[in-house]
Amino acid sequence: MAEEFKRAPNHFQGRPLADGSSPWPVEAGRYRLVVSRACPWASRAIIVRRLLGLEDAISMAVVDPIQDERSWRFTLDPGDRDPVLGIRFLAEAYQAAEPGYDGGVSVPALVDVPSGKLVSNDYPQLTLDFSTEWTAHHREGAPELYPEHLRAEIDAVNEVVFRDINNGVYAIGFTRDQAAYDRRFNRLFDRLDELSQRLESRRYLVGDTITEADIRLFVTLVRFDAVYHGHFKCNLLKLTEMPVLWAYTRDLFQTPGFGDTVDFDHIKRHYYVVHDNINPSGIVPAGPDLSGWATPHGREELGGRPFGDGTPPA
């Protein structure tokens, strides 16, 4: 039995590039972003798209949080079909790109509307490209989420956050080995403690504005008490019991573009119903109490400018 949970690599890595060197042009209306509001990897793309104002350039489809044997499905739409792509299952776009493909079907997925083919499920690169390749379609006042002079530091923070936190909660939740669980559990809370110390005197992870690093950490923290604490056995502390990280996450949640993209109903139903090997009863817990997300966080005292020289999304 495998000791460690291994995340499969992203098989489709097409990239629309602004310089025309890719077979996929950067073109408004050409692509459709398929997401699940339950999925933290997809939530990154939802937030970045909204902050940059790419809604008119890249349309978005939201799948049902409950998958069946064919994975993500468009049962939230009339006729159980995506109205733009005309398909019932995201797997159809994967098959259009690679006939006979039998690997995993994941979100976020960028689909070429004219051909119906999947372009990319490479979630780490997708949001960086939204910031760097789609600048001609950013809204006026769009923030710099991946500023060039901070990229090395952002990349370094992202690497650690992915390994020990974003992916770490999954490594804990899906392991079947006690020693592996103990090791990843300790690493997760050691890293959360380090980030608490980092954020105690600074409002954001890198620089004095919101960057890609904050978005990547936020999508895990916002799900922590609702699913990871109990469902994935990450139960040393709740987020609400970590004062700095709880205030930091509330600060982001109350920032336009963050909390208004979060759907706790989708999040809880997906994890507790789909992961029947972890939760065989399929019962979705009633808690936690969500009222605390609207309470004052006091992080403004640390300074910082959420959008830098830009403005909030409408």
Side-chain angles (χ1 to χ4, degrees):
M1 186 175 294
E3 180 179 294
E4 292 275 8
F5 166 77
K6 301 293 184 183
R7 183 166 297 280
N10 304 305
H11 184 71
F12 297 89
Q13 299 181 343
R15 295 176 61 194
L17 299 176
D19 65 6
S21 62
S22 162
W24 306 106
V26 169
E27 180 183 317
R30 174 73 182 261
Y31 305 100
R32 189 152 173 82
L33 179 66
V34 181
V35 300
S36 164
R37 295 191 184 277
C39 170
W41 320 107
S43 288
R44 298 176 175 185
I46 298 172
I47 293 169
V48 171
R49 173 180 175 269
R50 175 145 161 67
L51 293 179
L52 297 179
L54 289 171
E55 292 98 328
D56 291 336
I58 304 171
S59 66
M60 189 172 79
V62 179
V63 294
D64 195 308
I66 308 301
Q67 299 158 288
D68 67 10
E69 67 279 358
R70 292 190 62 180
S71 194
W72 301 109
R73 52 192 183 151
F74 294 100
T75 48
L76 301 181
D77 294 298
D80 296 346
R81 288 185 182 274
D82 179 76
V84 174
L85 299 172
I87 57 178
R88 297 179 60 229
F89 296 91
L90 178 56
E92 295 174 56
Y94 279 67
Q95 289 290 330
E98 185 178 309
Y101 174 76
D102 61 357
V105 177
S106 63
V107 289
L110 192 68
V111 180
D112 178 53
V113 174
S115 68
K117 295 180 179 180
L118 177 72
V119 176
S120 175
N121 68 342
D122 188 4
Y123 61 87
Q125 189 61 49
L126 196 63
T127 51
L128 299 183
D129 285 348
F130 283 175
S131 283
T132 59
E133 301 294 332
W134 287 82
T135 54
H137 301 282
H138 289 181
R139 65 178 175 86
E140 184 177 353
E144 281 196 82
L145 300 177
Y146 194 49
E148 193 164 357
H149 69 289
L150 294 176
R151 287 179 190 175
E153 186 177 359
I154 292 171
D155 291 345
V157 171
N158 286 346
E159 181 180 358
V160 171
V161 167
F162 171 80
R163 184 189 67 217
D164 295 339
I165 298 176
N166 298 148
N167 196 55
V169 294
Y170 284 85
I172 293 166
F174 285 116
T175 189
R176 294 294 178 267
D177 180 271
Q178 185 68 52
Y181 168 84
D182 292 342
R183 182 168 57 253
R184 296 306 297 257
F185 181 94
N186 290 333
R187 189 184 298 174
L188 167 67
F189 283 97
D190 285 347
R191 192 67 65 206
L192 290 173
D193 186 55
E194 290 174 9
L195 290 174
S196 290
Q197 295 177 41
R198 181 185 182 100
L199 290 164
E200 193 167 9
S201 59
R202 56 194 300 169
R203 191 170 179 185
Y204 304 112
L205 281 171
V206 181
D208 67 347
T209 64
I210 291 167
T211 67
E212 178 84 16
D214 298 294
I215 295 165
R216 295 190 182 197
L217 179 57
F218 171 81
V219 297
T220 296
L221 294 183
V222 79
R223 288 162 172 77
F224 201 88
D225 288 4
V227 288
Y228 301 143
H229 179 271
H231 185 60
F232 277 177
K233 303 180 181 68
C234 301
N235 61 353
L236 180 65
L237 295 168
K238 295 178 180 178
L239 176 66
T240 54
E241 296 168 339
M242 295 181 268
V244 173
L245 291 179
W246 173 222
Y248 165 79
T249 312
R250 293 203 318 281
D251 185 6
L252 292 175
F253 185 87
Q254 294 170 26
T255 300
F258 284 83
D260 49 27
T261 69
V262 175
D263 190 320
F264 284 109
D265 172 65
H266 278 213
I267 290 168
K268 292 200 301 181
R269 284 197 291 129
H270 169 73
Y271 281 90
Y272 286 102
V273 174
V274 172
H275 298 162
D276 54 7
N277 58 332
I278 298 177
N279 185 41
S281 71
I283 292 174
V284 180
D289 179 10
L290 301 178
S291 62
W293 287 102
T295 59
H297 50 76
R299 300 277 296 176
E300 305 95 332
E301 297 177 3
L302 295 174
R305 303 172 299 147
F307 301 101
D309 295 328
T311 58

